[in-house]
Amino acid sequence: MPELSHRRRMLVLAICCMSLLIVGLDNTVLNVALPAMRQDLDASVAGMQWTIDAYTLVLASLLMLAGSTADRIGRRKVFMAGLVLFTLGSALCSLAPSLETLIAFRMVQAVGGSMLNPVAMSIITNTFTDPRERARAIGVWGGVVGISMAAGPVVGGALVDSVGWRSIFWINLPVGIAALLLTWRCVPESRAPKARRPDPVGQLLVITLLGSLTYAIIEAPQKGWTSAEILFFAALAAASLTGLLVYEPRRADPLIDLRFFRSAPFSGATVIAVSAFAALGGFLFVNTLYLQDVRGLSALDAGLWTLPMAAVVCVLAPLSGRVVAARGPRIPLLVAGVAMALSGLMFAAFDAESDTASMFTAYVLFGLGFGAVNAPITNTAVSGMPRAQAGVAAAVASTSRQIGQTLGVAVIGAVLAAGVAGAGSSYGSGPAGDFVAASRPAWWIITGCGVCVLLVGALSSGRWARETARRTAERLEESEEASAPAAGAPAGRSSSAGTRA
C-alpha cells in the first residue's frame, strides 16, 4: 500500500480519537447521572453499581479477543463493527424502560467499545510508521482521555439538569455515525502478518472469572457474604482462575501468556493498573453520591466540582509521558502513588468533606496522581518485551485498567452499601453523617490503592526489575525462534507492527 499523505494520516488519527472520546465520555458522564437514574428507575445501590460494572466487565473480558480478531480479519472491519454496536447500544440505553434493560443495553455498548480503543491503537501504529510521528500521535491519543474526563461531568451534568439522564447517551449518536462514515471513506484496511489463533476456552474462563467475582462482591451486602449463592459464585471464580493457570501455559497462542509475569515491570504494571483504576472508579462513585445525595448539589454543580481533578489530569498526562520518555517510569509512578494516597487519606482520616478548601485540595491531589500514572503503565508493561510481544503486553495492561475500575466500583460500592445499611438508612434518606461515616472504609481502600501504586511502582522500576524484564524477553525470543520453522514464516515475524495493509 502506498504511504498515506500527512493530511490523510491526521484524519485517521482524528477518527481514532473520536472513538476514544465517546467511550471516555460515556464513563464520566454516567457517574454524574447516577442519582437521577436511581430515582427514575427506582434502583438500589447494587443496581447503580451494575450500570457501571456491566459495561467495564464486558469491556475487560473482550479487549484482547477484539484485538486479536482485528489482526486476523481486518482492523477497519472490526473498528466499524464496534462503532455500529456502540452507537446502537447508546440509542437503546436512552430508551431503556427499566434498570434491567439498561444494564443489558450497556453490555451491548461494551461489546462495541471493546472493538474500538485497542483496534484504534493498532490502526494508529499501522498508520504512523515513523517512530517520532507515532510517539506524537499516541501523545494526542492520550490527551483525549483528559479531555473526556474534563468535559464528561460538566456536559453530563448540564444534560441531566436540562433534559434528563437519557440525553447523556444521545451525544454518542452523531459522533458515532460521523466516525463510522469517515472510517469507511478514509481508513485503509490492515491486518497483522501473523495473527494469534483464537482461544475460546481461555476467553470463556476469563469471562466466568470476572463475571462471577464481580457478582459475588456486588450482591454480597444484600444476600449475605456466607449465603449459598455468594459462596457458589466465589467458588466459581476460584475454579476459573485455577483453570486459567492450568490451561493457558499448554497453548501455543494463549489468550494470556503467563510467562509475561516473570517480568517484574510487566507484573508491576498489571498491579498498578488495577490499583489506580480501582481508586478512580471508587473515587468517582463515592463522590457522585456524596455531592448530589448528601450536599444536595445539582448534577451540573457536581460535575463542576470534578473540574479541578480533570484539569490537572489534562495538564499532567502529557508531561508524565515526556518524563517517562526522558527518565523512565519511576518518578511518575512515585508521584502518582504519593498523591493518590494523600488524597484518599484526607477523606479517610481528616474529614475533607467538612471543608471546601480541603475537599478541593483532595480533588487536585487525586488528579495529580491519576494524571501521572497512566503514561508509565503501558511503558512499564512493554518494558524490555520483544517487539512482537509488545502489542499483547499493552493489551493486558488495557484489560487490567478495566478490571481495576470494575473491582473498584464493586468493592467500594459494597463497602459503602454495608456501611449505610448498618447505620439504618439508605442513600439520600439518612443524615449526612451516616453517609460520611459509612464512606470512611471506602476512603481507606482508596488510600491503600495509592500506597500500592507507590510501593509496586518503586519495586518494579529499579535495576532488579529491569533485569527480570531482560531475562523474560530473552526467553520469549528464544521460544519464538524455536517455533519459527514450524510456523514457516520468519519473514512475517519480522514485520512486527503490521505496517502493511
Side-chain angles (χ1 to χ4, degrees), residues 197-214:
R197 289 179 294 178
D199 181 8
V201 174
Q203 185 65 58
L204 181 61
L205 288 171
V206 167
I207 293 172
T208 305
L209 168 61
L210 296 178
S212 55
L213 179 62
T214 305

Side-chain angles (χ1 to χ4, degrees), residues 153-224:
V154 178
V155 172
L159 287 172
V160 170
D161 284 350
S162 60
V163 185
W165 66 264
R166 296 179 185 276
S167 62
I168 66 173
F169 297 105
W170 298 346
I171 57 178
N172 296 331
L173 304 185
V175 179
I177 293 170
L180 179 64
L181 294 175
L182 287 170
T183 302
W184 177 62
R185 289 290 304 272
C186 304
V187 176
E189 185 60 280
S190 64
R191 296 177 178 83
K194 182 187 174 186
R196 297 169 67 84
R197 289 179 294 178
D199 181 8
V201 174
Q203 185 65 58
L204 181 61
L205 288 171
V206 167
I207 293 172
T208 305
L209 168 61
L210 296 178
S212 55
L213 179 62
T214 305
Y215 182 88
I217 294 171
I218 289 179
E219 299 296 333
Q222 286 185 326
K223 300 183 177 179

Side-chain angles (χ1 to χ4, degrees), residues 115-445:
M115 301 179 191
L116 296 180
N117 290 358
V119 180
M121 180 56 73
S122 294
I123 291 172
I124 290 173
T125 302
N126 183 70
T127 302
F128 293 87
T129 55
D130 178 73
R132 299 177 77 177
E133 265 201 345
R134 184 184 299 164
R136 287 195 291 269
I138 292 174
V140 172
W141 163 268
V144 175
V145 176
I147 294 172
S148 68
M149 281 192 69
V154 178
V155 172
L159 287 172
V160 170
D161 284 350
S162 60
V163 185
W165 66 264
R166 296 179 185 276
S167 62
I168 66 173
F169 297 105
W170 298 346
I171 57 178
N172 296 331
L173 304 185
V175 179
I177 293 170
L180 179 64
L181 294 175
L182 287 170
T183 302
W184 177 62
R185 289 290 304 272
C186 304
V187 176
E189 185 60 280
S190 64
R191 296 177 178 83
K194 182 187 174 186
R196 297 169 67 84
R197 289 179 294 178
D199 181 8
V201 174
Q203 185 65 58
L204 181 61
L205 288 171
V206 167
I207 293 172
T208 305
L209 168 61
L210 296 178
S212 55
L213 179 62
T214 305
Y215 182 88
I217 294 171
I218 289 179
E219 299 296 333
Q222 286 185 326
K223 300 183 177 179
W225 289 95
T226 58
S227 67
E229 184 177 348
I230 299 303
L231 291 177
F232 167 77
F233 280 100
L236 185 59
S240 300
L241 177 60
T242 303
L244 279 171
L245 296 176
V246 172
Y247 176 76
E248 289 298 283
R250 300 181 180 183
R251 280 188 56 85
D253 281 333
L255 183 70
I256 303 173
D257 195 333
L258 300 180
R259 294 176 299 175
F260 287 1
F261 291 95
R262 296 174 185 170
S263 165
F266 179 84
S267 298
T270 302
V271 174
I272 291 167
V274 171
S275 300
F277 278 76
L280 175 67
F283 188 96
L284 294 176
F285 189 80
V286 174
N287 272 287
T288 294
L289 297 175
Y290 172 76
L291 290 171
Q292 294 188 57
D293 284 350
V294 178
R295 284 206 168 190
L297 299 181
S298 67
L300 176 58
D301 288 338
L304 290 172
W305 257 103
T306 66
L307 268 182
M309 177 181 72
V312 174
V313 172
C314 278
V315 173
L316 196 63
L319 292 178
S320 175
R322 291 181 184 177
V323 173
V324 170
R327 303 286 299 274
R330 189 177 185 85
I331 293 174
L333 288 175
L334 297 183
V335 169
V338 170
M340 294 175 83
L342 286 176
S343 176
L345 190 65
M346 288 186 69
F347 287 103
F350 298 104
D351 297 326
E353 303 98 332
S354 62
D355 177 67
T356 298
S358 296
M359 196 159 143
F360 177 86
T361 302
Y363 274 51
V364 170
L365 279 171
F366 193 88
L368 179 69
F370 190 74
V373 81
N374 218 357
I377 287 175
T378 301
N379 177 276
T380 307
V382 303
S383 175
M385 288 287 175
R387 289 184 64 194
Q389 303 288 351
V392 181
V396 174
S398 297
T399 301
S400 300
R401 290 180 175 96
Q402 299 301 326
I403 292 172
Q405 194 163 353
T406 301
L407 293 179
V409 173
V411 172
I412 289 172
V415 168
L416 193 60
V420 172
S425 61
S426 60
Y427 286 102
S429 64
D434 287 354
F435 185 94
V436 172
S439 67
R440 198 77 66 218
W443 287 116
W444 280 115
I445 293 172

Side-chain angles (χ1 to χ4, degrees), residues 71-72 191-197 253 388 480 483-484 486-490 492-493 495-496 498:
D71 286 344
R72 189 167 53 254
R191 296 177 178 83
K194 182 187 174 186
R196 297 169 67 84
R197 289 179 294 178
D253 281 333
E480 190 177 342
S483 63
R493 191 168 46 84
S495 55
S496 60

